[in-house]
Amino acid sequence: LLGFAGRDLSALTVCAASGFWMLGRLTSPRGRVLLGGVVAWAATVSGLVGIAQVVGAVETGPLALAFGRPTGLASNPVYFGAISAAGLMLCVTVWRPSNWRRFLVPLLVLGAATSVSGSRVALVAALFAIVVHTAVRRDRSSLLAGGMGVAALASGVLLDRVAGAGRNAADRLIDGSGGGRTTVWRSGLEAFADRPLTGHGFGRFRPAVQDKFTAEFVRENAIDDVTQAWFDAHNVGIGVLVAVGVIGTALLIAWAAAWLPSIRGPFAWALLPLALHWCLQPVSLFTLPLAMLLFGAAGAEGVPTVPPGRRVTIAGVVVGAALAGPLVVGDFMFQHAVDELDADKMATIAAAAGDDPILGDVVAQAYKLEATSRDASSDELDWRARVAASEPDRPFWWSRLAEEQLEADQIDEAEESVRRARDLQLNNRRSVRVEILLALRAGDEERLAAALKLACVLGAGDCGIGAEELIDEYRAADAAVGG
C-alpha cells in the first residue's frame, strides 16, 4: 500500500493518480482555461526560484543548490527540470502574436529554468516536443513560439555558464553518461522474469533487483544506500513490468490505448515532456499528479462524463480531510520535536504513525545524540530494531542496526543483522564495513581478508592493507583506549 523507502510509487499513489486523472476529465471548459494558467504560472514561480538559486549560488537552507544544481520548489533538480519543460511546452503551444504579452515571461523563464536545472532528459524532451509541435502545426505562430522556446533554453545555458556552477543540461549532456541505467534495466527485466505474471508490487523495485547488483555496478553507480539507492527503474515501462507483471501491464496498456486517441490541445503537448522524462527518470510524486491531471484535461473536451453528485462530493472531501488532517498535524508536530531535539516526543509521534521506517530512523538518531556513553542507548537500539523490522527488505536498515549492536557489544546480534543485510544484497558497501569490524573484533584473519578484498572491489576500503596488519593495528588501538 505505502511502497518502499522513498514512497514515490505505491498502490496508494497509483490510486491518487487515477483521482487526478478523473479531476482532469471532469474539468469544465472554463476550468481548463484556469488550469492552463495555474500550471504555467506555478511552474514559472518555481522556475524563478531555481534561477535565483543559481544566480545567488545558494549553499545553505531549504533552497540550497543540490550538487551545484537548482531544485526550484521541487525536491530534486530532475523533477524541477521536468516540470519546467512541461510548463514551457504549455506556453509554446498557446503563444500567439495576439497574446504574446500574456505568455512571454513564463515562456522565457521556463526555458531558462529547464536548462539551468541540469536535467539532460528535460532539455532533450523540451527540444523534441518543440520540434514535433512545429512540424505538426506548420504555421507562423508555432514557428515563432518554437524559436522563442529554443532561445529561452539557450539563455539558460548561457546564464549558468556566467553565474552558475556550470552544471546546466547542455554541458551535462555533452559530458555525462547513462549513470548505470542500462544495467539497472537489465536487472529489472531479470526481476520481471522472476515473477512475470503478477510482479513484485508497487514501490518494491529495489528489493526486486538489489540481489542482482554486481560489485562493479555498486562501485560505479550505487556507492550510497541513500543518494544512489535505485528505488526506481528510471523507466516507466520496466518499472510497471516489475511492479505488476504481465497482467497489470496489459490492463494499463489497454486503459491508455482507450484514452490516448482522444487527447489533444496544449495539455497533450505539455504531457509529452513528462512522458519522455519517465523513460529515463523516476515516476515521482512531483510529476505523476501533474501528468495525470494534464492527461485527464487533455481528453476532457467532447468526452461524456457524469460528475458525482453534491452529497458524494461533500462526503469525499470530508473523508479526505479526516484522513489527511492527522498526517499534516503529525508532520508539523514531528518537525517541532526535531527542532527541539526531543527524542521522546519524536518517538511518541513516530509510534502513532505506525512505525514508519523513515521517522523511526530519525528517532534512533535523536536517541543516539542523547546517549551519555560510547555505547548506544537501549532506546536507540530498540528503534533501530523497529526500523529494520518495519522494512525488512532494505539492507541499509540491517547494517545500521548491526553497527549500533556492535558498538553496544552485542556481537551475536550484530552477526545476525549483518547476515540479514548481506543476504539481501551481497555487494553493499555499508554491510561489508560492518563485516570488517566484526572480523577485527573476532581476530578472524581469513574472514577479514575476504571482507577487505570485497571492500577494495566496491571502492569502500584501502586496497593496500593486509588482514594481519590491520588486526595488529586494531589491537594496538584497542589497548591504547583501555579496551
Side-chain angles (χ1 to χ4, degrees):
L1 179 66
L2 297 178
F4 184 80
R7 307 281 189 263
D8 273 8
L9 189 62
S10 65
L12 186 63
T13 55
V14 171
C15 289
S18 68
F20 277 100
W21 173 69
M22 183 55 71
L23 283 174
R25 278 194 60 198
L26 296 175
T27 302
S28 66
R30 173 59 179 162
R32 288 196 297 275
V33 173
L34 293 174
L35 176 62
V38 168
V39 170
W41 281 102
T44 299
V45 171
S46 180
L48 287 170
V49 172
I51 291 172
Q53 288 177 278
V54 171
V55 174
V58 182
E59 297 182 355
T60 59
L63 295 180
L65 294 167
F67 306 105
R69 296 165 58 189
T71 58
L73 297 180
S75 66
N76 186 290
V78 169
Y79 307 146
F80 170 56
I83 293 171
S84 299
L88 171 65
M89 203 57 214
L90 184 62
C91 293
V92 166
T93 55
V94 299
W95 186 89
R96 299 287 187 279
S98 58
N99 65 5
W100 67 272
R101 290 183 179 87
R102 183 180 175 188
F103 295 101
L104 179 63
V105 171
L107 190 152
L108 295 177
V109 169
L110 291 170
T114 301
S115 290
V116 300
S117 73
S119 173
R120 296 165 291 181
V121 180
L123 176 63
V124 172
L127 288 171
F128 177 80
I130 288 173
V131 170
V132 173
H133 175 259
T134 304
V136 170
R137 288 280 296 273
R138 290 183 294 182
D139 57 24
R140 179 172 174 270
S141 294
S142 63
L143 183 62
L144 288 173
M148 290 175 61
V150 173
L153 291 168
S155 72
V157 176
L158 180 62
L159 174 66
D160 180 62
R161 287 179 177 175
V162 172
R167 301 284 291 164
N168 64 80
D171 291 344
R172 292 188 70 243
L173 186 64
I174 296 172
D175 300 333
S177 64
R181 284 176 176 80
T182 55
T183 302
V184 171
W185 294 344
R186 286 196 297 270
S187 298
L189 293 175
E190 292 174 11
F192 160 67
D194 294 338
R195 295 186 185 179
L197 292 181
T198 58
H200 295 260
F202 281 117
R204 295 190 54 77
F205 182 81
R206 171 65 189 255
V209 301
Q210 61 193 7
D211 64 326
K212 308 178 193 309
F213 287 177
T214 64
E216 180 184 4
F217 174 77
V218 170
R219 184 179 66 251
E220 299 295 333
N221 302 289
I223 61 173
D224 193 316
D225 284 329
V226 178
T227 61
Q228 292 179 302
W230 291 101
F231 296 129
D232 184 274
H234 287 54
N235 179 279
V236 64
I238 294 175
V240 170
L241 280 173
V242 173
V244 293
V246 172
I247 297 174
T249 302
L251 290 171
L252 179 62
I253 291 174
W255 169 77
W259 290 103
L260 278 173
S262 68
I263 69 170
R264 57 183 59 85
F267 293 141
W269 287 108
L271 184 63
L272 182 56
L274 295 175
L276 294 173
H277 166 84
W278 289 348
C279 293
L280 292 167
Q281 295 291 355
V283 178
S284 76
L285 289 173
F286 282 91
T287 56
L288 181 60
L290 175 60
M292 297 304 288
L293 190 61
L294 293 174
F295 188 17
E301 190 171 3
V303 177
T305 58
V306 180
R310 184 181 299 272
R311 292 181 179 178
V312 174
T313 301
I314 293 175
V317 171
V318 170
V319 171
L323 292 173
L327 295 176
V328 174
V329 173
D331 185 56
F332 280 106
M333 291 175 62
F334 191 81
Q335 182 61 57
H336 182 67
V338 170
D339 292 338
E340 294 184 336
L341 282 178
D342 189 331
D344 289 334
K345 184 184 293 185
M346 293 161 58
T348 300
I349 299 170
D355 286 347
D356 181 278
I358 306 300
L359 297 183
D361 180 53
V362 179
V363 173
Q365 292 180 57
Y367 278 123
K368 177 74 170 180
L369 291 174
E370 288 187 354
T372 57
S373 68
R374 82 182 188 94
D375 294 332
S377 70
S378 59
D379 288 325
E380 183 203 358
L381 282 171
D382 288 343
W383 275 95
R384 284 277 168 234
R386 291 174 69 164
V387 167
S390 66
E391 205 165 57
D393 289 338
R394 189 176 181 188
F396 179 70
W397 300 137
W398 290 109
S399 296
R400 293 289 295 271
L401 174 60
E403 289 171 347
E404 302 307 330
Q405 289 169 332
L406 184 59
E407 188 172 334
D409 289 328
Q410 297 180 4
I411 306 302
D412 291 341
E413 292 82 352
E415 290 278 9
E416 175 61 21
S417 296
V418 79
R419 183 194 66 78
R420 294 285 297 268
R422 299 199 67 191
D423 284 347
L424 292 169
Q425 183 188 342
L426 176 63
N427 297 307
N428 183 281
R429 287 165 59 101
R430 182 176 289 272
S431 62
V432 78
R433 286 171 175 161
V434 181
E435 184 86 7
I436 289 172
L437 291 173
L438 285 167
L440 282 170
R441 290 287 291 267
D444 189 335
E445 188 172 329
E446 183 178 349
R447 180 184 182 185
L448 180 59
L452 287 173
K453 181 179 179 180
L454 179 57
C456 173
V457 174
L458 295 176
D462 185 354
C463 296
I465 193 168
E468 183 178 358
E469 177 186 356
L470 190 58
I471 288 176
D472 290 341
E473 290 183 7
Y474 176 80
R475 287 173 176 168
D478 189 54
V481 298

